Every structure is written in C-alpha cells, then in structure tokens.
C-alpha cells in the first residue's frame, strides 16, 4: 500500500452567493499518496479549482466549508487543515505546500520586480535562522534559477513580470513554487494559455523536479493528452462530484464512468479525420444540480435508478473507484 | 494560374509594428512582419493559423477584420482592397462580408442589454431590413446553433452558460451570412463536451452555407480535425503554409517539426528533452531566420539572412534555407 500524505474526508465546500448556494464540492472523499502525480480533469465549472483551493486551505468568502476535513500526514503528525490558525497556515505555505493558481501568469504583482517577489519567499525559509544580505540572497536565487534551466538569471531577477512572455512568467512561478522544496505542490491549469512547445518545456521541467525530489504533485488540466504525459493517477470530476479515480493506465485503457469514457473518446486525434460527436446537453447548474446522478440528463446509459438515487463512490478493483449505477461493489458492469 | 480568379484572401507584404514602452525610449515590436500569402480555392475553406504565443496570430486576425490598420501592406478579401473601406457605409458592407468570433464570449456582449435585442439591432443595422425580416434572420441564425429566438427571449448575458454564450456569439456572426468568419481561439474557454459541438458546427456551416473560416488556435488536434489549409507563424512570420494533411504528415519547417513533436498525445509518451528560448523578445529583431538559435539545422547563413517563403510545388510553401536552392539564397540577399 502506498503511503498517504493527504486525505479529503467527506468534504462539502459551497459558495454562498446572492443567487443561491453553489455546491461546488459535494461529499468529496479520497486520498493522495506520497510522491505521486495526481491529475485532475473534468468539465469546466465542475469544482476543480475549488478543490485545489481547499487543499491549500484557502477558503475565502463566499466559499465556506459546510462539512468535512482535510488531513495532512507529516511523519507521525496529522494536521487538520481547516482547524489551523491563519498563522500556522502561513507557516505551512511555500515550505510544506505550495500553489500555482489558475491564470497565475496574471496574478504576479506587475509593479514588483521578480527579485523582490523571490526575496519574500526566501524570507520564509530563513525564519529563525540568521538574516542574509541582499547580495547573498541574489546569489542563492540566481543559482537556483540556473539549475532550473532559466536563461540569464540576473537579468531575469531585475525584470518586472509584464516584461516577460507568458511562458517565461510561468517558468519563473514554477521556480518560486518549488524553491523551498515543499512536500506538496498544487498547480491549477499551469499551461493552459501556452502553446504546445512552451507547454512541453514547462511540463517536462515539472516532472523532472518531481521525480528528483519526490514531492507530491497535484495538477489540474482539461487536456487529457497532458494527463497522459504527466499523471500517475487521475481524478475525474463532474458537477461538484468525483465520478472516477484510478491509475492513469486503467483510466485510459478501461474508463468506467460514462463521462470519463466521453472525455477520452471525444477529442479528435491527429491522423484521424472521421467525424466525432460531442456530448449532448448543457453542463449542469451547480445552484440546482440534477437529482440522482448529476450526469443522468446527458448520459446515454442512464437507467430509472439514475434519476432517483445518487450513485455511491465505490471501489471496483485495486485502486480504481467510480460513482455510477452501472457498477456494483464487485465491479460487474452492465452498459445494457 | 487564372488571373481573373479572385482569391478569398490575399495578403501582400503585411506588416504591423507596435511601439512598446514610452514614446521616447520605447522599443518597436514587429508583430506581423512582411507577411504575404493567399488562399485560393474552388470550394469554401477552413484555414487554420497556428503558432507560438505572441507570434502575431491575433494581430493578423485584427488586421483582416479591419479592427486595426497595418503599418504597411495590403489585404484583399474577395478582391476587395480593405484599405479602401472608409465610410460608415463601406464599413457596414464590409461587416456583411467578414465577421469576427472572439475568444471570450463575455467580451462580445454588453451585460446591461438583453441579448435578444442586441441581436435584433445587429441585424437591423448591418442588413437594413424590416423588423419582421430581422427577427426571422436572427431566429434562423440561432436555430443553426441549436438555439432559437424563443429560448433566449428577455435574458441578459449572465443568465446564459458559457457554452450557450459561445453559441450565441457564433449565431451573431452568422446573421449577415458572411463570406468569411474570423474565429480567434473560439473554443479555448469551453470544455471538451461543448468543444466538439462547436467544431462540428463550423464544419456544417462551411459545407452547407459555404462560409469560409479563419480558425486561430493553440490546439493542433482541432486544427487537424477542422482545417483544409493551415499556416504556421513564428515571431511575426509565416514559416510554412499549405494543405493541413500534408503539413501534419510531413512537416517541412524545423519549427513545425518541433510543434508537432510537442503535442501531448494519448498513447505516445514524451522522452526527449526540449529546449525553450531564452531570448524571446530579441528574436523578433533577428536579422536572419528568427528560429536559427533554436534550430538543429541552422548554419551561419541562417543567422545572416532571412529565408523567404518558397513554393514546394505540392501546394506548400516554406521559409527555410534547408529547402532553398542557391538562386533564392542569392535573391534573399540582394533584397536587403
Ligand atoms: N468566487 C466565487 N463565487 C461564487 N461562485 C463561484 C466562485 N468561484 C467559482 N464559483 C462557482 O463554483 C463552481 C466551481 O468553480 P471552479 O472554479 O471550482 O470550477 P473549475 O472546475 O475550476 O472550472 P474551470 O475548468 O472553468 O476552471 C462554478 O459553478 C463557479 O461558477
Ligand atoms: N496593442 C499592442 N501594443 C503593443 N504590443 C502588442 C499589441 N498587441 C500585440 N502586441 C504584441 O505583438 C506580439 C504579437 O501578439 P499577438 O497577440 O498577435 O500574438 P498571438 O500569436 O495572438 O499570441 P497568443 O497565442 O498568446 O494569443 C506580442 O509580442 C504582443 O505582446
Ligand atoms: S449513474 Fe447512470 S446516469 Fe450516471 S453516469 Fe452512470 S449510467 Fe449514467
Ligand atoms: Mg478552474
Ligand atoms: Mg492571440
């Protein structure tokens, strides 16, 4: 059994908006293993970013934890993330767990030089130890940037974020996020706005760091090709729920949930020109999600029970979980 | 070639220079650099433009849509020199011919106005038809994207899902039955399920209504699925152009080669490492081939002179000295 580093225990995390309650994470249960790359995929608006924010303990209004816990396991300690004070949470960040938000290329402070933004991160490391000079700090950072394959570090440190291309900014952020060697790295769509060449460069850099240092990497992408390159396991979400979780190979070769099947089959592949169909119907409104299985209005296999009862998230085989009425505990299935 | 045959699109020595930074100390950036090409076809085409982020794709689209004016060069659409579109009247006629679909559907609508009214006004303004006729045109356009006037009546922008809005903005572009739709990353915001529906809609509109498309994207697999012809841009230049099937099967330009090797494909795991550029902004100003410092085939010559697009005889053109004979080598030198 792989060692677990994090456990999401029966979490409900909702947005309380003026239009109603958005059940962005509803009854979420799963574990993350130490040293794995966990890929997260799913429909836009299904709660992927909300899950990542929750894992970072970043619960800001109108988001609220309605129920459940997120537990972190560090050696023999167990940390209950939602019960931490702001101060302890701050101490955890960058050093133990770090986060690249969605669209992070645009969230860097545009009027602060890269070097200042790095100094802040470095400061967290030196807490308790003796202060170092700016020049020493610069040297440490430059060396790190050089190790990460970034060009002309001293020039880079002097620039402002807006002077860099999207790809270069994303490489700098990745360097920042990994600088203090955190155990867990959260990355929300780290390459979505980039072209494939730059994307490949950044993904390979991420994977290299992760393989060398054995951190745990959790990352969101809507590109199944990216997940194929990166992930050890995949978690598929739909409308605020986890619908499937399993090893990458199993998900790609034997997807169980009808939505996962669709995700994998639908996208065109190079070299094949025959017509591919999209999925019919509209994504659900999380203010009033469908009864029963939330996928049932769009599911080609739906049965009567799917409209009435919510499917449980069950283990079908070794490490492969699904929430769909087509599957029973023993993993027998019936697509009839 | 038949001299009287008018091309759908003909671009001659098109250049767009942006000033960046202050007026005095500011630098210049050539976002579109002396680009010439034409699209000729007996049947309606879908033309994709692919390239690195920042390679000038959106700038090219905005020039073709006449949203910005070129620094130099000419654009002909259906034989019409668009620099001669000057009066309000001309511009309305031009909009009947060419329509945009923008990347972010939220940009296309005014949040304070009801969407149905906005569409009706568009029809009335551009087409100068009676109210009744406008209504039926809008309804037709909405029906071709799987909606109808009834379904959108009385609603504001924020009362639609992202996918609905994306379809409405395509419907809006369809109202005048244009000859050409310029779509800049029209599916980057939507998830897999809606993406394929929109791709299939473009195909149908192309075949059934004879609408031509310029499809700008980062996503090579949808470009392959959709397009007949494609152009690859690099730092403001078109480096390769021709039938998509040929380019995907056997890329000529070293950058195209790199691009295709970087697609994250399911079933093909990445092995080799990749070199990203460290001097992006300088590359725009290179005197020779802008790709030479990353190109595995580059020699001294590539550094000194700029390759021009040469005809390969199979419908393709490529700008690379690898495919150049001595004659065009001499030619490109004497051009300077
Ligand atoms: N600050 C907020 N206030 C209210 N509702 C929100 C807020 N942020 C997100 N939501 C809603 O919560 C749901 C989940 O959003 P989330 O950002 O987690 O989706 P996502 O899966 O990351 O989508 P995407 O792929 O588009 O990034 C959506 O319905 C969204 O509209
Ligand atoms: N209005 C402007 N003023 C100054 N520079 C600009 C302007 N618009 C674009 N640029 C610059 O011109 C270059 C080309 O930009 P453009 O938006 O055309 O690229 P693109 O190929 O569409 O990129 P992406 O794939 O990221 O959308 C970039 O370096 C960009 O920063
Ligand atoms: S539970 Fe029913 S509706 Fe939901 S995915 Fe499975 S078969 Fe389809
Ligand atoms: Mg998100
Ligand atoms: Mg663009």
């Amino acid at each position: 059994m792989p060692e677990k580093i994090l456990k999401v225990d029966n979490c409900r995390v909702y947005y309380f908006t003026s239009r109603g309650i958005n059940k962005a994470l509803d009854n979420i249960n799963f574990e993350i293993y130490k040293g794995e790359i966990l890929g997260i995929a799913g429909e836009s608006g299904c709660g992927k970013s909300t899950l990542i924010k929750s894992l970072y303990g970043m619960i800001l209004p109108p988001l609220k934890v309605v129920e459940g816990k997120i537990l972190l396991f560090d050696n023999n300690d167990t940390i209950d993330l939602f019960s931490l004070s702001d101060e302890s949470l701050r101490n955890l960040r960058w050093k133990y767990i770090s986060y690249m938000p969605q669209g992070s290329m645009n969230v860097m402070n545009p009027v602060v030089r890269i070097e200042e933004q790095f100094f802040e991160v470095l400061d967290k490391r030196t807490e308790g130890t003796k202060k170092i000079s700016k020049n020493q700090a610069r040297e440490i950072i430059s060396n790190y940037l050089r190790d990460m394959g970034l060009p002309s570090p001293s020039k880079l440190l002097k620039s402002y974020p807006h002077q860099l291309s999207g790809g270069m900014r994303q490489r700098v952020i990745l360097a920042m996020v990994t600088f203090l060697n955190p155990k867990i790295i959260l990355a929300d769509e780290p390459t979505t706005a980039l072209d494939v060449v730059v994307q490949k460069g950044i993904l390979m850099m991420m994977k290299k760091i992760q393989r060398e240092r054995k951190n745990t990497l959790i990352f969101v992408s809507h590109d199944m090709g990216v997940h194929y390159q990166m992930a050890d396991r995949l978690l598929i979400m739909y409308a605020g729920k986890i619908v499937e979780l399993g090893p990458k190979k199993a998900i790609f070769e034997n997807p169980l949930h009808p939505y996962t099947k669709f995700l994998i089959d639908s996208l065109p592949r190079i070299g094949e020109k025959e017509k591919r169909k999209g999925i019919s119907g509209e994504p659900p409104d999380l203010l009033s999600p469908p009864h029963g299985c939330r996928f049932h209005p769009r599911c080609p296999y739906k049965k009567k029970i799917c409209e009435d009862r919510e499917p449980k998230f069950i283990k079908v085989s070794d490490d492969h979980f699904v929430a769909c009425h087509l599957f029973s505990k023993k993993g027998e299935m019936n697509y009839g | 070639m038949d001299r009287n045959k008018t091309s759908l699109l003909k671009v001659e020595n098109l250049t767009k220079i942006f000033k960046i930074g202050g007026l005095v100390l500011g630098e210049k950036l050539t976002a579109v650099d002396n680009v010439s090409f034409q699209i000729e076809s007996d049947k309606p085409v879908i033309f994709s433009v692919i390239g690195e982020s920042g390679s000038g794709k959106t700038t090219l689209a905005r020039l073709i849509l006449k949203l910005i004016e070129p620094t130099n060069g000419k654009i002909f659409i259906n034989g019409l020199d668009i620099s001669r579109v000057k009066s309000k009247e001309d511009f309305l006629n031009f909009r009947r011919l060419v329509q945009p679909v923008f990347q972010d559907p939220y940009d296309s609508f005014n949040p304070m106005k009801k969407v149905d009214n906005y569409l009706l006004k568009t029809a009335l303004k551009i087409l100068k038809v009676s109210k009744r006729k406008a209504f039926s045109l809008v309804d037709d356009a909405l029906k071709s994207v799987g909606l109808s006037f009834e379904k959108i009546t009385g609603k504001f922008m924020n009362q639609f899902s992202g996918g609905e809005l994306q379809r409405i903005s395509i419907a809006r572009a369809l109202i005048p039955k244009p000859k050409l739709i310029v779509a800049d990353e029209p599916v980057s915001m939507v998830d897999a399920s809606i993406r394929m529906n929109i791709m299939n809609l473009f195909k149908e509109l192309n075949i059934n209504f004879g609408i031509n498309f310029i499809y700008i994207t980062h996503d090579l697999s949808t470009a392959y699925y959709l397009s007949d012809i494609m152009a690859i841009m690099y730092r403001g230049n078109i480096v390769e152009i021709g039938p998509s099937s040929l380019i995907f099967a056997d890329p000529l330009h070293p950058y195209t080669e790199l691009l295709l090797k970087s697609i994250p494909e399911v079933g093909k795991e990445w092995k080799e490492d990749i070199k990203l550029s460290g001097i992006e902004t300088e590359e725009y100003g290179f005197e020779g081939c802008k790709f030479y410092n990353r190109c595995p085939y580059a020699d001294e010559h590539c550094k000194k002179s700029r390759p021009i697009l040469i005809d390969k005889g199979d419908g393709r053109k490529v700008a690379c000295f690898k495919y150049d004979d001595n004659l065009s080598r001499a030619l490109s030198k004497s051009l300077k």
Side-chain angles (χ1 to χ4, degrees):
Chain A
M1 228 7 224
E3 192 183 339
K4 58 179 186 268
I5 191 164
L6 197 152
K7 181 181 168 74
V8 179
D9 189 8
N10 203 25
C11 269
R12 292 177 197 271
V13 185
Y14 298 169
Y15 292 95
F16 291 81
T17 74
S18 56
R19 284 180 61 222
I21 300 171
N22 184 318
K23 301 182 179 175
L25 292 183
D26 213 11
N27 218 334
I28 302 288
N29 284 294
F30 71 102
E31 289 170 351
I32 296 171
Y33 304 142
K34 198 169 171 181
E36 75 168 331
I37 303 184
L38 178 73
I40 301 177
E43 206 65 12
S44 122
C46 69
K48 302 179 297 292
S49 297
T50 311
L51 176 59
I52 294 287
K53 285 184 217 162
S54 304
L55 295 175
Y56 198 54
M58 203 172 69
I59 309 289
L60 301 171
L63 192 61
K64 267 192 200 148
V65 179
V66 177
E67 198 187 329
K69 277 184 191 158
I70 290 180
L71 301 173
L72 301 174
F73 306 104
D74 186 21
N75 298 323
N76 293 321
D77 281 349
T78 299
I79 304 165
D80 180 348
L81 195 64
F82 295 148
S83 73
L84 292 181
S85 67
D86 286 355
E87 160 114 47
S88 340
L89 211 48
R90 236 177 290 129
N91 282 333
L92 221 54
R93 290 178 179 166
W94 299 98
K95 280 183 290 189
Y96 183 85
I97 185 165
S98 63
Y99 169 54
M100 291 170 87
Q102 187 167 10
S104 53
M105 288 195 293
N106 308 315
V107 303
M108 272 179 141
N109 190 336
V111 296
V112 177
R113 283 185 207 272
I114 304 284
E115 120 179 328
E116 295 293 333
Q117 312 205 23
F118 253 106
F119 287 161
E120 274 178 44
V121 180
L122 188 68
D123 263 355
K124 301 195 183 266
R125 182 192 77 160
T126 46
E127 254 168 64
T129 59
K130 72 173 173 25
K131 280 264 175 232
I132 53 170
S133 74
K134 279 213 163 163
N135 274 334
Q136 281 172 305
R138 263 184 210 115
E139 194 172 320
I140 295 171
I141 297 165
S142 295
N143 285 339
Y144 184 67
L145 291 178
R146 203 166 291 118
D147 287 349
M148 300 276 289
L150 281 146
S152 17
S154 42
K155 206 174 139 200
L156 205 57
L157 284 176
K158 290 280 175 235
S159 13
Y160 292 95
H162 72 89
Q163 293 171 315
L164 307 176
S165 71
M168 192 62 79
R169 254 179 285 168
Q170 204 65 331
R171 286 155 83 184
V172 170
I173 292 172
L174 184 59
M176 253 185 219
V177 156
T178 53
F179 188 46
L180 300 186
N181 198 14
K183 295 215 165 91
I184 301 173
I185 300 168
L186 308 167
D188 195 352
E189 310 245 15
T191 57
T192 297
L194 306 171
D195 62 87
V196 289
V197 177
V198 174
Q199 165 171 282
K200 181 174 178 184
I202 290 175
L203 292 178
M204 295 198 70
M205 179 169 150
M206 283 176 90
K207 194 155 181 168
K208 194 164 148 251
I209 298 170
Q210 191 275 342
R211 291 295 187 235
E212 278 168 16
R213 305 189 189 166
K214 310 261 184 294
N215 349 53
T216 304
L217 174 62
I218 299 151
F219 90 101
V220 177
S221 172
H222 65 251
D223 187 335
M224 294 307 279
V226 167
H227 284 304
Y228 186 83
Q229 304 302 330
M230 297 290 288
D232 298 316
R233 287 197 307 155
L234 270 173
L235 183 140
I236 314 290
M237 294 184 69
Y238 186 84
K241 295 267 174 195
I242 298 179
V243 295
E244 188 161 357
L245 170 65
K248 170 175 83 181
K249 198 167 172 322
I251 300 269
F252 277 101
E253 285 171 9
N254 181 27
L256 300 177
H257 197 280
Y259 178 69
T260 316
K261 270 183 184 303
F262 166 75
L263 264 189
I264 288 168
D265 293 341
S266 68
L267 289 172
R269 289 189 194 166
I270 287 158
E272 295 169 21
K273 264 218 156 139
E274 67 268 25
K275 189 161 171 162
R276 281 175 185 269
K277 273 219 186 104
I279 195 168
S280 59
E282 283 290 317
D285 181 0
L286 289 182
L287 294 176
S288 54
H291 279 283
C293 169
R294 292 188 179 181
F295 189 58
H296 88 254
R298 303 170 82 185
C299 181
Y301 308 104
K302 79 156 182 244
K303 305 180 283 185
K304 183 74 187 70
I305 187 177
C306 306
E307 291 170 32
D308 305 332
R309 211 147 23 102
E310 197 179 312
K312 290 209 178 80
F313 191 53
I314 57 163
K315 185 169 179 166
V316 175
S317 65
D318 253 8
D319 214 17
H320 198 163
F321 302 80
V322 70
C324 166
H325 287 300
L326 296 175
F327 297 88
S328 66
K329 263 253 156 7
K330 280 175 240 96
E332 297 152 355
M333 61 165 169
N334 171 20
Y335 278 107
Chain B
M1 197 176 286
D2 182 359
R3 278 229 154 248
N4 293 320
K5 187 174 156 191
T6 49
S7 337
L8 167 70
L9 178 69
K10 187 169 169 196
V11 169
E12 280 179 3
N13 305 100
L14 192 66
T15 296
K16 179 69 189 179
I17 299 175
F18 289 114
K19 293 200 180 66
I20 43 179
L23 273 180
V24 186
L25 289 173
E27 291 168 64
K28 284 179 180 171
L29 190 142
T30 311
V32 171
D33 187 2
N34 200 10
V35 165
S36 300
F37 67 95
Q38 60 192 68
I39 307 174
E40 228 139 0
S41 175
D42 311 326
K43 65 176 185 59
V45 291
I46 300 181
F47 174 66
S48 295
V49 182
I50 306 280
E52 275 213 334
S53 137
S55 59
K57 305 181 295 294
T58 297
T59 308
L60 179 65
R62 291 168 58 82
L63 287 164
I64 292 169
L65 285 162
K66 216 175 152 56
L67 296 171
I68 52 174
E69 292 297 319
T71 311
N72 217 328
K74 280 201 181 311
I75 299 169
F76 299 87
I77 296 175
N78 242 6
L80 167 77
D81 174 354
I82 72 166
S83 69
R84 297 174 65 176
V85 173
K86 288 218 166 82
S87 68
K88 228 177 149 188
E89 189 62 36
D90 289 347
F91 201 76
L92 285 179
N93 283 331
F94 178 64
R95 271 287 162 271
R96 235 173 271 163
L97 192 66
V98 187
Q99 278 283 325
V101 174
F102 295 112
Q103 168 167 4
D104 186 347
Y106 294 92
D107 277 351
S108 316
F109 299 97
N110 182 337
M112 309 301 290
K113 289 194 179 135
K114 285 189 185 141
V115 170
D116 52 354
N117 268 335
Y118 169 72
L119 293 179
L120 276 179
K121 285 227 175 84
T122 307
L124 287 169
K125 199 169 109 195
I126 299 185
L127 298 173
K128 298 211 184 66
V129 289
S130 70
K131 264 207 160 148
R132 170 178 291 179
K133 180 78 183 153
F135 178 87
S136 80
L137 285 171
V138 171
D139 195 43
D140 285 350
L142 286 167
K143 282 198 173 118
S144 61
V145 298
L147 295 165
S148 67
F149 204 87
E150 207 193 322
K151 280 190 188 152
I152 69 158
T153 306
K155 283 173 138 186
F156 290 94
M157 187 181 100
N158 61 3
Q159 293 169 305
F160 294 99
S161 77
E164 280 172 336
L165 269 188
Q166 193 107 49
R167 283 188 283 156
I168 295 170
S169 68
I170 292 167
R172 194 205 49 162
L174 293 177
I175 292 171
K177 302 223 168 64
K179 186 92 186 157
L180 173 66
I181 289 181
V182 181
D184 192 358
E185 315 240 14
V187 290
S188 59
M189 295 266 296
V190 301
D191 42 80
S193 62
I194 299 168
R195 183 173 306 183
M196 281 323 290
N197 292 335
I198 292 180
M199 292 296 101
N200 288 331
L201 173 66
F202 281 9
K203 266 196 168 166
E204 277 159 33
L205 292 170
N206 178 246
I207 294 164
N208 301 341
F209 295 96
I211 297 175
N212 294 279
F213 284 88
I214 296 182
Y215 173 56
I216 297 174
T217 186
H218 279 315
D219 182 7
L220 285 130
S221 53
T222 53
Y224 179 83
Y225 183 69
L226 208 58
S227 61
D228 314 293
I229 308 173
M230 64 193 264
I232 318 288
M233 289 189 78
Y234 188 75
R235 307 265 184 262
N237 293 121
I238 288 183
V239 295
E240 182 162 0
I241 183 169
S244 311
S245 49
L246 279 179
I247 292 182
F248 274 99
D250 171 30
L252 294 179
H253 197 280
Y255 177 67
T256 318
E257 227 179 273
L258 175 65
L259 198 65
L260 297 186
K261 261 197 272 174
S262 306
I263 302 170
E265 277 185 271
V266 173
K268 276 191 214 157
E269 208 154 335
W270 287 332
K271 296 224 163 59
E272 76 289 3
D273 220 338
I274 184 171
K275 183 181 161 203
L276 293 180
S277 167
I279 48 167
E280 293 166 359
T281 33
E282 278 113 281
E283 286 168 2
Y284 289 95
F286 278 1
E287 174 184 15
C289 174
K290 291 173 187 169
F291 191 57
Y292 92 83
N293 64 321
R294 296 168 73 190
C295 181
Y297 314 100
D299 62 16
E300 269 310 292
H301 190 74
C302 307
K303 185 173 175 179
K304 288 200 206 96
S305 40
R306 175 84 49 85
I308 51 172
L309 276 176
I310 53 163
D311 207 322
K312 289 299 293 169
D314 57 357
R316 275 201 284 184
K317 288 182 178 162
V318 60
C320 170
F321 289 121
K322 244 178 108 186
Y323 306 95
D324 209 342
D325 51 30
N326 295 329
L327 180 78
S328 43
R329 228 171 239 231
L331 228 157
S332 88
K333 248 184 200 156
S334 67
L335 274 177
K336 292 213 281 167

